[in-house]
Amino acid sequence: MIKVEHLVKYYGNLCALSDVSFSVEKGEIVGFLGPNGAGKSTAMNIITGYLAPTSGSVSIDGKDIQKEPLAAKKQIGYLPEQPPLYPDLTVEEYLGFLYELKGCKLDREKHLREVAESMGLYECYHKIIGTLSKGYRQRVGMAGALVGNPPVLIFDEPTVGLDPKQIIEIRNLIRGLGKSHTVILSTHILQEVQAVCDRILIVNKGKLVADEKTDAIARMTSRVKRFKLKIAGSQKEVSALLSGIPGISRVEALTERDEDAVSYLVESGDGLDLRKKLFFTLAEKNYPIVGMETLGVNLEEVFLSVVDSAEQAPSARKRVVRRNRATQELGQALVENAEQKQAQAAADEKED
Amino acid sequence: MKAIYKKELRSYFVNPIGYIYLGVFLAFSAFLCCYTTLVSGTYSTASYFSNLILSFIVLIPLLTMRLFAEERKMKTEQLLLTAPVSITGMVLGKYFAALTIFAGGILASCINFIPLYVIAAAERSGTTSQMKHIGPVTGEIIGSLFAVLLLGAALIALGTLISALTENQLSAAVVSVGAIALMVLASLFNSLTDADGQPLLARAFRAVIDWISVFSRFSLFAAGIFDYAALIYDLSLAFIFLFLTIRLYERRRLG
């Protein structure tokens, strides 16, 4: 549905995007993730035809945004970072303007009502946009993107500046839209991607550093098991004992103390669940476990490690020793995976 | 283009700016007409039209200042440029909306001439002379109206370009006032100095000013003669300024 090939964008000498390629299938919800200034908005502005790329191409449903801008733009509903609203108009007038601007052929009254209702704008349909709250303005912006039923929806940071309740509502709306539309969503909030998207693209400093299915990342993160154990007894002996258990990749004594119990952070790789083994081993040596807590690896750590890994040259990656080895490895794996994919794509292209 | 034209036209009346423009223009033109004809005791509208042009210095920037500056400031420009509308369509839609308000004002100001015709009719019935024409010359008025419209078309295009250059309405207005004042007042310089016995350089300078000046394109129309040179002059100015606006937007896309 959306095909982005070798996108490069320079602002003067500043490189905002360097050789970004990806494609989005029909019906996918793709999360475009990256720290501030990574090039997310630039990429979206190019995909929607607001900016021209320095080189590279974007096609929407087979129509090149540079060569056939009007046909390609007709396929897209875009909500930029700051919703483009006219504060003097009412919601009805605004949607009516967009209806005409996009040259829609649908039944006007019915279509606009439907769009407004799907965004929960029924009550403020006749209100002036300038008087609406931020959350409602965001909805009006999204409703504007939906006018004319474009098959592709692109939302740039749709939940920025909203309160937690509104964020949940907007996410639900997007998830609902994903059933019938192809959606690209940019954000720097990780839970959002996890909650909404099928696939995650991570950009950093203008480069695409990871391209994975959300559940694949979830599977990878679930392979790293991490526990916090509270064990009574001598710290030195317990540490030695824990390190001796096969399958445990890391043991670290924490500063937390509870009477004679010390807290330890224990990690095991490869999806091994060592809880029972830990219990019996320690019981045998008379070190009672007074507390055990399972800690997950969250997407945030993965994201940070992906960004970190991407910033290092491939050869340097292995040498760097980090505290968080498991996630570090995961991040590297994702980055390398993305690099392989791109290399593969480049090789395929050469064959053609 | 039609959607943008309609929205722009409506926004003149959603904001007070359309009312302010029409109110001030009509009040000024009525006062001017009264002063230059009735008070001066003449049916000639030449003085009325040449003074009316002075009001454009302030009033046309009022119409054009927000056309693009506001869209850029409110970030709604992104909406127009990602919609299935060409840049040319966007620029022309906005331009014609401003031109429509301008033409509407000119049309409405025609009521100023009614008293002239009424008085002329009364005077004619009081005299038996068939020799002399009494009252305003309709051909002159129509020619002048046409010339004013053409001039407006050129100046509005200039204002449109200036508005696209900035995202601050006030800057757009100030720069437009300056630019339009230069074009309108340039001929004052020539009328204040004497062409005879000047060195070549000064004469060349006068020629350049004469070329910029809009007044020198006005006189034939005011005499009721259709001036093709002025028509082409004004239309090509409008074309150049609009073309530059379109190019500016195309250039801006490249970042």
Side-chain angles (χ1 to χ4, degrees):
Chain A
M1 197 72 196
I2 305 172
K3 204 161 186 185
V4 174
E5 281 170 327
H6 305 293
L7 222 51
V8 176
K9 178 73 182 175
Y10 278 91
Y11 292 117
N13 284 327
L14 184 83
C15 180
L17 285 179
S18 70
D19 200 21
V20 169
S21 303
F22 61 89
S23 61
V24 180
E25 297 306 318
K26 204 170 158 67
E28 255 186 320
I29 306 185
V30 172
F32 217 59
L33 196 65
N36 287 325
K40 295 184 301 253
S41 291
T42 302
M44 300 208 139
N45 281 333
I46 293 174
I47 294 171
T48 53
Y50 177 60
L51 292 174
T54 308
S55 69
S57 71
V58 174
S59 67
I60 313 288
D61 204 9
K63 292 170 188 86
D64 192 295
I65 195 96
Q66 295 298 313
K67 290 172 196 142
E68 301 171 74
L70 299 192
K73 283 173 182 174
K74 251 192 147 83
Q75 311 287 317
I76 305 175
Y78 181 34
L79 175 67
E81 206 170 344
Q82 203 173 334
L85 305 174
Y86 294 99
D88 298 329
L89 301 184
T90 65
V91 174
E92 185 187 15
E93 286 168 337
Y94 177 71
L95 296 179
F97 167 58
L98 282 171
Y99 178 90
E100 287 174 25
L101 190 67
K102 294 182 179 183
C104 298
K105 299 277 187 293
L106 303 152
D107 177 2
R108 182 183 168 124
E109 256 325 281
K110 193 166 153 255
H111 177 57
L112 294 187
R113 286 236 166 234
E114 270 170 16
V115 165
E117 269 166 46
S118 72
M119 284 294 125
L121 290 168
Y122 190 74
E123 280 146 49
C124 45
Y125 195 52
H126 295 289
K127 282 191 186 159
I128 289 170
I129 293 173
T131 64
L132 297 178
S133 68
K134 177 108 171 75
Y136 271 95
R137 283 186 205 191
Q138 196 75 26
R139 285 167 188 238
V140 176
M142 285 177 76
L146 289 178
V147 169
N149 270 335
V152 175
L153 295 173
I154 297 181
F155 298 134
D156 197 352
E157 309 208 344
T159 56
V160 165
L162 301 184
D163 68 37
K165 186 167 168 281
Q166 291 169 330
I167 289 180
I168 292 170
E169 285 170 359
I170 294 279
R171 278 184 202 159
N172 288 336
L173 289 173
I174 294 174
R175 214 176 299 138
L177 290 171
K179 291 185 185 119
S180 48
H181 297 78
T182 305
V183 182
I184 298 186
L185 173 81
S186 96
T187 176
H188 57 258
I189 305 164
L190 293 133
Q191 295 91 322
E192 196 152 285
V193 186
Q194 220 163 4
V196 177
C197 303
D198 305 325
R199 204 170 117 209
I200 302 181
L201 302 173
I202 301 180
V203 276
N204 186 48
K205 299 199 171 162
K207 282 201 174 76
L208 192 65
V209 292
D211 178 353
E212 282 298 332
K213 294 257 186 237
T214 312
D215 47 5
I217 292 189
R219 258 203 312 279
M220 288 168 98
T221 54
S222 68
R223 277 174 48 193
V224 179
K225 300 279 179 195
R226 196 186 282 176
F227 310 103
K228 197 165 109 182
L229 288 169
K230 223 182 255 182
I231 304 163
S234 145
Q235 187 188 328
K236 215 171 150 191
E237 286 167 28
V238 172
S239 287
L241 184 62
L242 288 173
S243 307
I245 297 172
I248 286 186
S249 56
R250 176 173 158 230
V251 176
E252 190 190 328
L254 303 173
T255 48
E256 230 174 278
R257 294 284 187 283
D258 184 3
E259 295 184 7
D260 62 338
V262 183
S263 294
Y264 301 89
L265 192 70
V266 177
E267 260 181 30
S268 65
D270 294 330
L272 285 174
D273 190 351
L274 296 167
R275 279 176 296 184
K276 287 176 193 159
K277 197 165 184 188
L278 279 168
F279 172 81
F280 288 119
T281 315
L282 288 162
E284 205 174 285
K285 302 279 180 184
N286 260 332
Y287 293 117
I289 298 177
V290 295
M292 183 188 285
E293 196 183 329
T294 313
L295 304 173
V297 175
N298 59 18
L299 197 56
E300 197 134 356
E301 287 174 75
V302 175
F303 172 65
L304 289 175
S305 66
V306 163
V307 169
D308 273 356
S309 302
E311 280 174 16
Q312 286 148 15
S315 55
R317 268 178 218 155
K318 300 281 186 292
R319 276 185 263 127
V320 182
V321 183
R322 299 220 166 223
R323 273 187 68 218
N324 246 340
R325 248 185 54 215
T327 37
Q328 182 62 23
E329 279 163 14
L330 190 57
Q332 282 183 12
L334 285 171
V335 170
E336 275 156 22
N337 207 346
E339 279 168 4
Q340 274 169 15
K341 273 187 194 168
Q342 282 182 8
Q344 183 71 43
D348 287 350
E349 218 165 87
K350 263 185 195 157
E351 273 174 34
D352 293 345
Chain B
M1 177 177 148
K2 208 175 130 217
I4 292 177
Y5 172 77
K6 273 169 70 182
K7 186 223 108 200
E8 211 55 50
L9 208 54
R10 185 166 49 190
S11 78
Y12 277 116
F13 296 103
V14 173
N15 287 307
I17 213 111
Y19 295 105
I20 293 174
Y21 171 80
L22 289 175
V24 172
F25 178 74
L26 291 178
F28 179 76
S29 67
F31 165 77
L32 197 66
C33 191
C34 190
Y35 193 77
T36 55
T37 57
L38 302 181
V39 175
S40 309
T42 169
Y43 287 120
S44 161
T45 52
S47 165
Y48 165 72
F49 279 109
S50 56
N51 281 301
L52 191 65
I53 292 176
L54 295 180
S55 73
F56 295 169
I57 297 174
V58 178
L59 288 176
I60 284 185
L62 210 61
L63 281 183
T64 57
M65 63 182 187
R66 37 176 300 289
L67 281 181
F68 288 100
E70 176 149 293
E71 301 268 5
R72 286 187 75 193
K73 186 151 203 168
M74 303 297 299
K75 310 274 180 201
T76 45
E77 190 187 66
Q78 227 163 346
L79 181 75
L80 303 182
L81 291 173
T82 56
V85 179
S86 65
I87 293 176
T88 311
M90 175 182 87
V91 171
L92 290 183
K94 281 172 172 288
Y95 171 71
F96 282 123
L99 194 59
T100 304
I101 301 287
F102 177 79
I106 297 287
L107 199 68
S109 73
C110 288
I111 55 166
N112 293 334
F113 304 125
I114 293 175
L116 294 182
Y117 282 97
V118 171
I119 292 168
E123 199 178 326
R124 266 200 299 275
S125 64
T127 159
T128 49
S129 162
Q130 299 291 311
M131 299 298 288
K132 195 167 157 282
H133 174 81
I134 295 172
V137 183
T138 310
E140 267 180 35
I141 290 180
I142 291 173
S144 299
L145 284 173
F146 190 68
V148 165
L149 275 179
L150 274 179
L151 177 61
L155 296 181
I156 288 171
L158 174 61
T160 304
L161 172 64
I162 292 169
S163 178
L165 288 169
T166 171
E167 57 179 70
N168 185 333
Q169 287 188 41
L170 199 65
S171 319
V174 170
V175 176
S176 306
V177 166
I180 295 174
L182 183 76
M183 293 183 71
V184 171
L185 298 178
S187 59
L188 272 186
F189 177 85
N190 281 359
S191 62
L192 291 177
T193 57
D194 198 356
D196 298 331
Q198 298 277 349
L200 185 69
L201 196 68
R203 282 212 301 276
F205 187 61
R206 285 180 67 92
V208 170
I209 284 180
D210 200 44
W211 191 85
I212 299 174
S213 163
V214 292
F215 267 116
S216 47
R217 318 277 150 186
F218 199 74
S219 38
L220 280 181
F221 274 116
I225 300 165
F226 198 89
D227 183 356
Y228 286 101
L231 178 80
I232 289 169
Y233 174 80
D234 283 331
L235 289 185
S236 31
L237 274 190
F239 175 80
I240 289 167
F241 292 136
L242 291 178
F243 178 74
L244 286 177
T245 311
I246 294 164
R247 286 297 301 154
L248 182 73
Y249 266 89
E250 278 168 359
R251 187 73 192 77
R252 208 173 266 154
R253 270 189 77 226
L254 300 174

